Amino acid sequence: MKKFRSAVFIILSAMLVFTACGKKEEALPETQQAENTAALDTKAAAEELAAMADKLGTAVEEAFKKGVVDQARYDEFKGYVSRIAEIKNSGSDTDELKEELASIKSELAAIASQVSASNDMIDDLVAPDERLDVKKNSAEKPAESTSASAQAPAPSNGGSVGTLKSRVQEFSSNYISLQNEMSRKVDLGEISQEDYTALIQTGIEIAQLKEKTDIGQATQDIENEFNTLKANVYDFAVKAGSDIADKFK
């Protein structure tokens, strides 16, 4: 199972979380209350992801029997399911675990597309989970950067942070329409599963970009990221013959 074998559990953290649950909330230090809440949020996110993986399992089993997925991919899926259960039962709450859950969710979205799972299931797996957003949960404001490109404000197009944020919001909304269109096309065999999986991965990157602009980040790097993603989606939309390709020009 790639990427996730080296994660380490901290059993003491789990014990402390469950012990603290028996005390009155006002008796706990503010930082401890925040840690307990974060741990419960991470567990809840893991439980929800476990439920999604359980539903996806039927489609994966069927695809494996038909040869749509090979043994390696099947074993990979089973490894993800086991790992989610381990994280859920650990009670731990670390940035590494949050990032791991977010990565597993992304991988499951790709598998769901590969095995032709329902559009609703794919949409649920693609949707970002704020509980697993390490940057959003670990700091009130983004960390300072020493690089000139990171500190420089995004170029104008109106020049304001709000302008970049609104453009990303519009881009995100248009992408959702495109994904809905492409989900129908892949069901009809008009585009390949591989192309649809690539579109889903791009959607995850768009969601991550939107999270940055939603909290007020507007740098040259983010502007460049926005332009690159928009160009990639435009190329995809044109290739797929989308009715709304011009919205991504």
Side-chain angles (χ1 to χ4, degrees):
M1 177 182 176
K2 58 184 181 181
K3 297 192 289 185
F4 304 127
R5 294 185 185 274
S6 61
V8 178
F9 301 124
I10 306 174
I11 303 302
L12 179 59
S13 296
M15 293 172 63
L16 290 173
V17 167
F18 292 127
T19 300
C21 289
K23 298 181 181 180
K24 293 183 179 180
E25 184 174 339
E26 60 269 20
L28 293 172
E30 184 176 346
T31 54
Q32 184 65 57
Q33 292 180 31
E35 289 171 2
N36 288 350
T37 300
L40 291 173
D41 283 348
T42 301
K43 181 178 181 181
E47 289 175 342
E48 289 179 15
L49 187 56
M52 293 181 198
D54 184 58
K55 292 180 181 178
L56 178 59
T58 301
V60 174
E61 293 283 353
E62 188 67 24
F64 178 60
K65 291 177 182 177
K66 293 180 178 179
V68 176
V69 296
D70 59 16
Q71 184 70 52
R73 190 62 159 165
Y74 178 78
D75 290 343
E76 184 181 345
F77 170 74
K78 288 297 186 181
Y80 291 142
V81 172
S82 297
R83 183 65 180 132
I84 294 169
E86 291 172 348
I87 294 174
K88 179 183 69 173
N89 295 329
S90 75
S92 298
D93 175 62
T94 65
D95 287 350
E96 289 76 12
L97 288 182
K98 290 177 182 177
E99 290 173 346
E100 187 176 344
L101 279 174
S103 295
I104 292 176
K105 188 176 181 184
S106 174
E107 294 289 345
L108 291 182
I111 292 175
S113 177
Q114 184 179 356
V115 302
S116 300
S118 69
N119 292 333
D120 287 343
M121 183 176 295
I122 293 174
D123 289 343
D124 286 343
L125 288 166
V126 170
D129 190 333
E130 292 185 356
R131 295 169 298 189
L132 304 180
D133 187 340
V134 173
K135 291 182 180 179
K136 187 170 184 178
N137 292 320
S138 63
E140 290 295 327
K141 59 182 179 180
E144 295 182 359
S145 171
T146 55
S147 67
S149 63
Q151 292 181 356
S156 80
N157 288 331
S160 69
V161 172
T163 300
L164 177 58
K165 179 178 178 180
S166 62
R167 283 186 287 133
V168 171
Q169 287 176 334
E170 180 181 6
F171 176 42
S172 177
S173 176
N174 289 336
Y175 167 81
I176 292 172
S177 298
L178 177 67
Q179 182 181 310
N180 289 336
E181 180 186 353
M182 292 303 108
S183 70
R184 294 190 293 270
K185 284 182 176 287
V186 75
D187 287 342
L188 296 172
E190 296 178 7
I191 64 171
S192 68
Q193 287 287 344
E194 290 76 12
D195 284 346
Y196 189 60
T197 299
L199 179 65
I200 289 174
Q201 182 58 47
T202 300
I204 293 171
E205 295 175 19
I206 294 171
Q208 293 169 343
L209 173 67
K210 187 174 182 297
E211 288 176 359
K212 295 175 186 177
T213 57
D214 280 349
I215 62 174
Q217 294 186 45
T219 66
Q220 182 62 57
D221 286 345
I222 294 177
E223 178 79 23
N224 293 342
E225 183 181 356
F226 166 67
N227 290 331
T228 298
L229 286 172
K230 192 173 182 181
N232 290 343
V233 173
Y234 174 71
D235 290 343
F236 178 95
V238 170
K239 177 182 175 182
S242 170
D243 296 334
I244 60 172
D246 287 348
K247 291 187 176 182
F248 302 102
K249 279 186 176 180

